[in-house]
Every structure is written in structure tokens, then in C-alpha cells.
Amino acid sequence: MRTHSVLAVVAGLCVLPLAACSQGSSTSSSTTTAKDNASASVGEAKGKAPAPFDAGEVKIAIVQQSGQGDYFQQYLNGTKKQAEALKLKLDVYDAQGDNAQQATQLDQAIASGAKGIIVRHGFPDTLCPGVNKAIDKGIKVVIYDVEIQKCAQRAVQTQQSDAKMASLVLDQMLKDVGTGKPVGYVNVLGIAPLDRRDAVWKDYIAKNQWTQKFMTGKYTPSTATDTAPMVDNALKSNADVVAIYAPYDELTKATLSALGTNPNLKGKVKVYGADISTADIELMSAPDSPWVATGATDPNAIGAAVVRTLALHMAGTVKEGAKEDFPPILVTSEMLRSKNIKNMDDLRKNAPELNISKVSSADWIPAVTF
């Protein structure tokens, strides 16, 4: 598979977000289209479940800003698997990138009788009123990747360790291209995890005398498709860049697509990303792929861990205002090729540290392992 074949794969992948968004705006438990809806083994619960889990079915909800993209589809799969293992009734709300709709859906989740709510991504301005309203009503709230501490301090905060994720990848970029080089940047600010990665990027730019020739990117229900032409335009004006950092895999796919339309840059630009999926593994491991490194967790495992965090919060073990970070690893194209890693199952076998089933758990929780 040469560069033009990588482009073809990216073009095919870019339709996935549209399918993912077809869930609609009401509660749903429909299946997703991701390749990585991994099966899970369920551990045995040895302890006695505390209240409220000792008295029949407990209702919870996840209110997500968007379900588009490989990462979010895997995350929701992990959420569902862990909820099922705990015998929870899970309602899924997908705002499809509409922030006002997410606020409305949060109100709907509160009114639905949910005893616990996960709020996944979004913006503090639209979410804090609803989060505080839920907590005032006695509903336990766990946030994933929203900078909400200042306006909703009682919520439990969970996130990937984005600073570590960025530094792992940028250390590899420094090793590969050296200091004092012209580089490109594909990111969207105003989104909590991308803002945290941006802070690390700025530090590396300054320390390593990299010259940022452009910054571009767009966050939409079709991020990869909509960002690709923007990167293409930036490359046509800055053909001297030797590396591009695109710290979200939909942005990374957009970057690969844009490079595929600039054959004069073949073999001259290395790409550094974030996140991992079977689709991403296929792109990274393809011969001549410019995507050489990514910082990653297993989104399935993260989704499950956040449900366990909510359960512990509901049981009183995790207190209001607590924070939990989930550690990432570095994945390189060289690693994928040398170990013949073709999919997420292969990666899990070769990188057991992706398994975080013991994180945010207890003896009464049947933790899922992917």
C-alpha cells in the first residue's frame, strides 16, 4: 500500500463519523459502526455490593457531546460493557456536536430519574449549570474531559493524562527530526483535552526552536473530512515542513489525507498523532505511511473505568471533587510493523499496560477487561 492507497483508506474512514452520529438526540443504546467494539471478559465480584447497588436495577446516563469517530465509538462500547456487568440501566444521549443540545439532554437525563450521570466532553459554559443542578438533586456526576473544576467543583473529574500523552509523542518527534525545524500543527482549541495537549506543544516549540509554519483544524461531526482541505491549503503554502503534530486521530487522518494530495511531499513529512483504533493501526502500519507515532490509551478500557468511577462515587467511596487520570502509552509505526500488530486485540496483547481494569475498582465490582 503506497501513499495513494493510504489516502483511499482515509477517505473510506471519514464516512464513519456520519454513521456514528445517526444515533439521534434522544436516549439510545444502539450499536455503533466501529471495528473496535471489543468483547470483554468480566471479572468476578467477590464483595457484597453496597447501596444503591444492593436493591435492584440502578439507572445511569451518559451525556456525550458527540459520538463521532473511532475513539468515541470505542469509549461508548466500554461504557456499555461495564454498565452491563454492573447490571445498570444505561441511557445514552448524543448531542452530535451541538452544545446547546447537550445542555438540554443533560436536563433530560436529570429528569429521567438517573442516579448517576457521566458527562463526556463539551464546554463548561453550557454544562456547569446542569451539572450543578444534578448534584443539588443528589445525582452523582462524573465528568470526562471537560474543564469544569472552576464552575462545578463538586463533580468528579476523569481524563486521560493528556500532558503525558503529548510529551511521549513530541519526545519521539524530537528524536526523529531534531531541533530548529519548520513544523506544522493541526489542532482545535477550546476542547479540554486538546487544550492540554496544546500547552505541551507550545512548551516543546519554545524549547526545541521549532518554527510553527501553520496551525489549522476544525472540529465538526465530520472532523477528518472537513479538516483535510484546510491542511491541504496549509501544506501548499508551507511545503518546507518536516513534521506535523495532529493530536486527535480524526485530525491525524485529515493530515494523512492532505499529504496524499501533495505527492511532492511524499517521504518528506512525518506525522505525529493521538489515540488509537484498528483503523488507525492500519494507517500507521501501511508501507510508506507518514504517521509514525501516536499517544494512546484503550478507549474501551477508559469508558469502562469511568463507569466504575461513577459506581464508586455513587457508593460513597470516591468523594466529590476527586480526580482520576488514566495513563497513556507511546505507539510507533515501527512497533506495529515489527510485532505484526494488525488490530486492537493484537495491540492489547503486546501492550498489556493498556489494561486498566484494576483502576477505579473494588472487590464488589465485576470489572471488565478488553
Side-chain angles (χ1 to χ4, degrees):
M1 184 185 294
R2 300 296 172 184
T3 303
H4 67 277
S5 299
V6 174
L7 173 59
V9 174
V10 175
L13 291 171
C14 289
V15 304
L16 285 176
L18 299 176
C21 284
S22 66
Q23 291 185 115
S25 59
S26 61
T27 58
S28 169
S29 59
S30 61
T31 56
T32 68
T33 58
K35 299 179 182 181
D36 300 310
N37 281 354
S39 59
S41 61
V42 181
E44 181 182 355
K46 298 179 179 179
K48 182 181 178 181
F53 305 100
D54 59 350
E57 185 179 73
V58 178
K59 184 175 183 178
I60 67 168
I62 180 170
V63 181
Q64 52 187 16
Q65 201 263 355
S66 173
Q68 67 97 6
D70 293 339
Y71 181 92
F72 297 144
Q73 293 177 51
Q74 292 180 85
Y75 182 103
L76 183 57
N77 180 60
T79 301
K80 290 178 177 179
K81 296 291 186 184
Q82 185 62 72
E84 181 181 352
L86 279 163
K87 296 181 172 55
L88 304 175
K89 183 181 185 301
L90 172 68
D91 285 338
V92 179
Y93 297 79
D94 185 352
Q96 301 183 26
D98 185 325
N99 299 318
Q101 177 77 333
Q102 189 181 19
T104 298
Q105 290 178 342
L106 179 52
D107 283 338
Q108 292 171 352
I110 293 168
S112 74
K115 301 301 183 183
I117 299 175
I118 296 166
V119 178
R120 205 222 70 214
H121 294 95
F123 295 88
D125 289 350
T126 51
L127 292 174
C128 275
V131 170
N132 286 321
K133 176 182 176 182
I135 295 172
D136 287 342
K137 289 180 174 291
I139 301 170
K140 302 301 183 182
V141 180
V142 171
I143 306 297
Y144 182 76
D145 265 351
V146 187
E147 291 293 347
I148 211 165
Q149 296 94 332
K150 291 183 179 179
C151 58
Q153 296 178 356
R154 294 171 293 169
V156 172
Q157 179 77 30
T158 64
Q159 61 192 45
Q160 298 177 117
S161 181
D162 291 291
K164 179 66 173 176
M165 178 178 286
S167 63
L168 285 171
V169 173
L170 294 175
D171 282 344
Q172 184 65 45
M173 180 169 155
L174 176 62
K175 178 181 176 181
D176 292 343
V177 305
T179 61
K181 298 296 174 60
V183 297
Y185 188 34
V186 183
N187 200 4
V188 182
L189 302 185
I191 300 167
L194 300 184
D195 286 346
R196 292 192 289 266
R197 296 167 200 178
D198 176 68
V200 179
W201 168 253
K202 288 176 179 174
D203 183 55
Y204 273 70
I205 283 280
K207 287 182 178 178
N208 298 300
Q209 294 84 49
W210 290 334
T211 301
Q212 181 179 301
K213 301 302 292 281
F214 64 82
M215 177 180 176
T216 192
K218 190 174 185 180
Y219 185 75
T220 71
S222 303
T223 297
T225 302
D226 293 340
T227 297
M230 300 169 69
V231 181
D232 177 56
N233 288 335
L235 286 170
K236 284 180 166 51
S237 301
N238 301 278
D240 58 335
V241 297
V242 298
I244 299 173
Y245 181 45
Y248 164 39
D249 63 349
E250 297 301 312
L251 295 173
T252 317
K253 292 173 191 175
T255 303
L256 297 185
S257 180
L259 282 168
T261 62
N262 288 272
N264 59 306
L265 298 179
K266 181 179 178 180
K268 297 180 180 179
V269 183
K270 298 180 186 297
V271 177
Y272 299 82
D275 308 317
I276 197 71
S277 67
T278 292
D280 296 340
I281 289 169
E282 291 173 356
L283 291 169
M284 289 183 69
S285 59
D288 300 328
S289 173
W291 188 356
V292 297
T294 193
T297 56
D298 180 353
N300 292 279
I302 298 293
V306 174
V307 174
R308 295 195 299 272
T309 303
L310 177 62
L312 291 170
H313 187 33
M314 294 167 69
T317 304
V318 171
K319 303 302 181 183
E320 288 186 348
K323 184 176 180 180
E324 182 71 61
D325 279 8
F326 306 116
I329 66 169
L330 178 70
V331 178
T332 66
S333 57
E334 180 182 4
M335 166 192 173
L336 296 176
R337 295 186 188 110
S338 66
K339 296 186 177 182
N340 198 32
I341 295 172
K342 302 295 186 183
N343 52 48
M344 285 296 294
D345 285 337
D346 291 344
L347 182 61
R348 293 183 189 102
K349 291 174 184 176
N350 284 275
E353 60 269 38
L354 288 172
N355 173 25
I356 56 172
S357 60
K358 294 182 179 180
V359 175
S360 291
S361 196
D363 63 0
W364 58 270
I365 295 179
V368 297
T369 302
F370 294 94

